[in-house]
């Protein structure tokens, strides 16, 4: 596996490594600030989704209630109409000229009675459904009110935490942008790709106790020397993170001056 990148010679590798590690330090600080917010942003989003769903549900139930109330009113009107027809046909029976007319009116009266029975049955069904829908609306409205209260509380908590860290986060973001500006695009792209795939967001790690600071795989002594010399950009053979020595941000010892 090739663990060494070919780099532009115009900028010393040591400076590139310093910039990359400094960028890692800054973005890690930004990550810590985001961690302080915990799950609040996700909780706020979940509550907003719940509220939208409950609002839609209440709206649907309200439409169903209106439809059921209209159906009940129509059935009651149909009963009155049937009762009026029964009264009309009963009176007409008193003036019939033959049995055939009487039987015909009797059938009409019986049909209207069946219509009344059917309407009564439907009214009972609609009334039961109506009560169920109204209970569901009341329950959904209660849930909606609770979710809205939770949302307001979570939003206040998030706003408080955000306000406390906003200035520091903006400073860090500006600092990160400045550092990114001095890192060549290809290296910056590699940094972001590694960071995105890394579980802890670490693209650049130091050697700690003879091991990779990211995956803790052991690093051979010769490779540690190469890393400390800062003449090459070396990545971990196991996790792919860029490796630097622990003193990368310390001022270089000007040993030559003492000679």
């Amino acid at each position: 596996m090739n663990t060494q990148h070919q780099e532009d010679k115009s900028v010393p590798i040591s400076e590139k490594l310093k910039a990359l590690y400094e960028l890692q330090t800054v973005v890690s600080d930004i990550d810590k600030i985001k961690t302080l917010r915990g799950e609040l942003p996700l909780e706020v989003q979940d509550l907003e989704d719940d509220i939208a769903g409950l609002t839609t549900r209440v709206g649907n139930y309200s439409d169903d209630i209106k439809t059921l109330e209209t159906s009940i009113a129509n059935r009651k009107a149909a009963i009155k109409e049937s009762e009026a027809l029964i009264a009309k046909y009963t009176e007409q029976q008193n003036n019939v000229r033959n049995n055939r007319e009487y039987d015909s009116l009797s059938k009409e009266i019986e049909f209207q009675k069946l219509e009344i029975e059917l309407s009564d049955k439907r009214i009972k069904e609609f009334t039961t459904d109506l009560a169920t829908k109204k209970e569901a609306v009341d329950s959904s409205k209660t849930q909606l009110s609770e979710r809205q209260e939770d949302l307001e509380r979570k939003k206040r908590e998030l706003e408080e935490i955000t306000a406390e860290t906003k200035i520091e986060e903006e400073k860090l973001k500006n600092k990160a942008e400045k550092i990114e500006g001095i890192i060549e695009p290809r290296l910056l792209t590699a940094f972001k790709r590694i960071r995105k795939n890394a579980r802890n967001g670490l693209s650049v790690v130091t050697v700690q106790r003879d091991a990779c600071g990211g995956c803790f795989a052991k690093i051979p002594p010769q490779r540690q020397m190469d890393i400390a010399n800062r003449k090459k950009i070396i990545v971990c053979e196991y996790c792919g993170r860029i490796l630097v020595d622990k003193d990368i941000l310390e001022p270089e010892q000007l040993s030559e001056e003492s000679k």
Side-chain angles (χ1 to χ4, degrees):
M1 177 179 178
N2 182 14
T3 59
Q4 177 179 344
H5 296 288
Q6 295 298 319
E7 298 295 330
D8 180 4
K9 303 297 183 181
S10 61
V11 178
I13 298 297
S14 60
E15 293 302 316
K16 294 179 180 181
L17 288 169
K18 285 182 181 180
L20 286 169
Y21 187 67
E22 188 174 5
L23 177 60
Q24 179 64 68
T25 301
V26 174
V27 295
S28 290
D29 286 342
I30 294 174
D31 289 343
K32 289 177 184 177
I33 289 175
K34 291 180 179 179
T35 300
L36 287 174
R37 297 170 190 161
E39 299 296 322
L40 277 175
L42 291 177
E43 290 176 9
V44 167
Q45 183 61 56
D46 288 342
L47 284 169
E48 288 176 340
D49 292 342
D50 286 347
I51 288 172
L54 285 169
T55 301
T56 300
R57 188 187 304 173
V58 169
N60 290 337
Y61 282 148
S62 297
D63 291 340
D64 291 342
I65 287 172
K66 289 178 182 178
T67 299
L68 287 168
E69 289 175 339
T70 299
S71 297
I72 290 172
N74 290 340
R75 285 294 177 174
K76 287 181 177 180
I79 288 174
K80 289 183 178 180
E81 184 178 344
S82 292
E83 288 174 341
L85 288 173
I86 289 172
K88 174 183 174 182
Y89 295 147
T90 299
E91 184 177 349
Q92 287 179 352
Q93 281 181 325
N94 296 325
N95 300 313
V96 295
R97 290 170 293 181
N98 51 56
N99 289 336
R100 184 175 62 80
E101 291 182 0
Y102 185 88
D103 291 341
S104 176
L105 289 169
S106 294
K107 289 181 181 179
E108 288 294 336
I109 290 171
E110 186 63 26
F111 176 77
Q112 293 304 322
K113 286 181 179 180
L114 291 174
E115 283 292 300
I116 289 174
E117 288 180 7
L118 179 61
S119 291
D120 281 334
K121 181 180 178 181
R122 291 289 181 261
I123 287 172
K124 288 179 182 179
E125 292 174 351
F126 294 152
T127 301
T128 300
D129 288 346
L130 185 61
T132 301
K133 296 290 184 183
K134 285 183 176 180
E135 287 179 4
V137 166
D138 291 340
S139 175
S140 295
K141 284 183 176 179
T142 298
Q143 292 180 48
L144 183 58
S145 178
E146 291 173 352
R147 295 291 191 281
Q148 287 172 332
E149 289 178 4
D150 288 343
L151 178 61
E152 290 304 314
R153 178 169 55 81
K154 294 291 185 183
K155 277 186 172 180
R156 285 196 299 270
E157 291 177 12
L158 183 58
E159 286 171 0
E160 288 173 3
I161 294 175
T162 301
E164 292 173 1
T165 58
K166 185 176 181 181
I167 295 176
E168 180 62 21
E169 185 177 6
E170 287 301 317
K171 288 180 179 178
L172 289 170
K173 284 182 177 180
N174 291 334
K175 186 175 181 180
E177 288 178 2
K178 289 179 180 178
I179 298 171
E180 288 179 359
I182 63 175
I183 298 174
E184 60 188 76
R186 188 169 63 85
L187 271 180
L188 184 58
T189 299
F191 173 91
K192 291 182 177 180
R193 184 184 68 251
I194 297 170
R195 175 170 158 77
K196 181 179 179 181
N197 295 329
R199 180 180 57 82
N200 51 11
L202 296 177
S203 296
V204 185
V205 295
T206 58
V207 177
Q208 301 174 12
R209 296 182 180 179
D210 302 326
C212 170
C215 68
F216 309 112
K218 285 294 181 181
I219 301 173
Q222 181 58 49
R223 185 165 294 278
Q224 290 187 49
M225 289 180 63
D226 291 338
I227 293 168
N229 286 334
R230 307 174 193 171
K231 301 297 184 183
K232 311 171 185 176
I233 291 182
I234 298 174
V235 302
C236 176
E237 294 182 347
Y238 296 93
C239 68
R241 292 180 173 90
I242 299 170
L243 296 168
V244 296
D245 61 285
K246 61 183 180 64
D247 299 321
I248 185 69
L249 294 184
E250 295 296 324
E252 292 186 4
Q253 298 297 323
L254 303 179
S255 59
E256 295 296 327
E257 292 183 2
S258 61
K259 293 183 179 181

